[in-house]
Amino acid sequence: MRRERIIKAVNSLREALHAAQIRELLRVARTGQQADGVNRTQRILLAYNEFTRHYQQFGDEEKDLMTFFGLNPLLDLAFWSSLIDGEQSVNRKLLSDVDVGAYNVIFVMPKLRELLTRDTDKSELVIADAQGVEREIRRVRVLIAEKERSLTDPQIVINVIRSMDELYGSLSSLHPDMGVSLAIGSIDSGGAKSFDFFGAGVVMDDMSTLLMNVWDRVKYSSEENFRYQIEVAMMAAGFVSRIKEAQAQQIIGEELAQRTMRVVAKSIETLFRSGAYTEEMDAGREVRASNVLKPRTQLIEFKHEDRADVKRDDARPALDAAAVPMPKAADILRDLQDQLDLKETAEAA
């Protein structure tokens, strides 16, 4: 799980627990107290409805956190029914466990969130160049679509960084005197590799918009004519007209104009073929870039370790007493005696 996804998941789950007032509800259930003027059943049903509403917006990360902190009983109708039935039906240990999990999410995890948060997580930063002039730089976050248990080919990372640098350089030629080179603010991993690129705000905006416009026009394209489709998409997005306009204004010459077209098209093609996409290309769309774009090289996948992994249904495999026999005390003592005898023999020799 990537660091920024952990932060988002903590915020979402914490907000859901707060909105449903889970800890207050559990405290009343444990102590048997009753708030004046409040219908107990109505309060429980409202809490269930509020938490369920938030849960419908949860992603895999939020659901994983619920499992890790033992909050899955909040998804069980029997748990809520026992709260309605009253003190006789309540499993006090279960209530205590859920309360501890809710406490950790509400009060402990925000502290971890603060440790995970970095200054470069901001979408905009202010830097000072060599002359001490302050300039504003903006972020474009690029992710690499990968399988859950895949290891990244270094060439993919090289291609993504080089293509982003070439794309930024070409777009910068349309904005003279920017004075800001492309930089990487942070790199993250966990489910997908993430790169935060920073550069001049106007250039990064152009880059983000161009990638989005091209993707919207090529997402249904086949592999055979991918490069051609990208060039057609650049024309439809108005990029070719913009190049001609810059040429007419003598911002760039004809040779640079032709080179800019070639480099931009090649850079975008390499990015897409490497499985690279921006957050905007993947957020709330009918065709998510992460589901379509995949690195074209062979991925190396690692296997799960043979251990009792935590599952969302909280099922844990029971140990079979017959399969794992317990050693007898006499056998343990006999082994210790044999080891002592061997040690004394070795020392005597």
Side-chain angles (χ1 to χ4, degrees):
M1 190 185 302
R2 286 189 295 118
R3 183 181 48 81
E4 64 111 13
R5 296 298 302 169
I6 296 176
I7 295 174
K8 179 181 179 297
V10 169
N11 291 339
S12 298
L13 183 53
R14 184 171 182 266
E15 181 182 350
L17 295 173
H18 262 310
Q21 297 183 339
I22 294 297
R23 295 203 69 226
E24 292 79 357
L25 189 68
L26 296 177
R27 177 181 56 79
V28 171
R30 289 202 317 272
T31 61
Q33 296 177 356
Q34 180 62 47
D36 295 337
V38 178
N39 183 286
R40 183 171 174 275
T41 300
Q42 183 181 10
R43 180 176 182 180
I44 294 172
L45 292 176
L46 286 174
Y48 170 75
N49 181 68
E50 186 67 25
F51 186 81
T52 303
R53 185 176 63 83
H54 281 79
Y55 181 79
Q56 291 172 350
Q57 307 299 321
F58 283 179
D60 291 339
E61 293 81 5
E62 287 85 354
K63 294 174 183 178
D64 285 340
L65 281 183
M66 287 191 62
T67 299
F68 295 151
F69 288 102
L71 295 175
N72 279 344
L74 295 176
L75 306 177
D76 188 358
L77 283 175
F79 174 81
W80 294 93
S81 296
S82 67
L83 294 181
I84 294 175
D85 291 340
E87 187 175 353
Q88 300 301 323
S89 303
V90 173
N91 184 328
R92 295 191 174 277
K93 182 180 184 305
L94 182 60
L95 288 180
S96 178
D97 291 344
V98 174
D99 189 30
V100 170
Y103 174 87
N104 286 331
V105 172
I106 294 173
F107 297 105
V108 178
M109 285 303 292
K111 299 297 182 182
L112 176 60
R113 179 189 60 195
E114 293 176 8
L115 291 175
L116 294 175
T117 303
R118 301 176 299 200
D119 291 337
T120 53
D121 289 334
K122 300 175 183 178
S123 59
E124 295 182 358
L125 297 173
V126 176
I127 62 171
D129 59 17
Q131 288 73 35
V133 179
E134 291 188 349
R135 298 179 183 271
E136 182 184 279
I137 58 176
R138 203 161 297 162
R139 181 189 70 194
V140 169
R141 175 168 291 163
V142 174
L143 300 95
I144 300 177
E146 295 177 322
K147 295 181 180 179
E148 185 178 354
R149 299 191 305 277
S150 64
L151 302 176
T152 306
D153 184 339
Q155 191 60 47
I156 294 176
V157 177
I158 293 171
N159 288 341
V160 169
I161 294 177
R162 179 185 293 123
S163 297
M164 285 295 291
D165 188 45
E166 292 176 350
L167 181 58
Y168 180 85
S170 296
L171 294 178
S172 295
S173 64
L174 304 178
H175 302 279
D177 302 325
M178 282 294 100
V180 179
S181 301
L182 187 69
I184 298 178
S186 60
I187 300 175
D188 199 2
S189 64
K193 302 296 184 295
S194 169
F195 302 83
D196 286 354
F197 291 94
F198 284 88
V202 63
V203 181
M204 300 306 277
D205 287 344
D206 283 353
M207 181 188 298
S208 180
T209 302
L210 180 61
L211 289 172
M212 173 69 78
N213 289 337
V214 171
W215 167 247
D216 278 340
R217 290 170 171 83
V218 304
K219 57 189 174 187
Y220 298 113
S221 302
S222 60
E223 286 287 329
E224 291 74 16
N225 59 352
F226 201 44
R227 176 65 176 271
Y228 172 74
Q229 293 294 337
I230 289 176
E231 292 176 351
V232 171
M234 290 170 54
M235 183 178 298
F239 185 73
V240 175
S241 299
R242 186 173 175 188
I243 291 290
K244 292 181 179 179
E245 181 181 348
Q247 188 177 353
Q249 296 175 356
Q250 297 184 349
I251 297 177
I252 57 176
E254 181 178 355
E255 182 179 352
L256 181 56
Q258 294 297 326
R259 181 178 181 278
T260 298
M261 285 292 301
R262 291 194 306 270
V263 172
V264 169
K266 179 177 180 295
S267 299
I268 295 177
E269 180 187 10
T270 303
L271 286 172
F272 289 174
R273 290 190 181 276
S274 298
Y277 60 95
T278 64
E279 291 181 309
E280 293 76 15
M281 291 166 56
D282 202 50
R285 308 181 67 78
E286 70 281 2
V287 178
R288 295 175 65 96
S290 59
N291 295 332
V292 178
L293 296 176
K294 302 293 181 185
R296 296 300 179 259
T297 59
Q298 182 67 32
L299 295 176
I300 304 173
E301 296 186 44
F302 63 91
K303 296 181 179 179
H304 279 306
E305 297 178 2
D306 295 331
R307 58 185 176 86
D309 289 332
V310 178
K311 299 181 180 179
R312 285 197 186 131
D313 58 2
D314 207 26
R316 295 180 175 84
L319 294 177
D320 188 350
V324 188
M326 295 297 292
K328 297 180 180 179
D331 294 336
I332 296 175
L333 293 175
R334 189 180 299 111
D335 290 341
L336 291 174
Q337 184 62 49
D338 291 343
Q339 294 178 21
L340 290 174
D341 291 343
L342 288 173
K343 183 177 180 182
E344 289 177 357
T345 301
E347 291 177 350

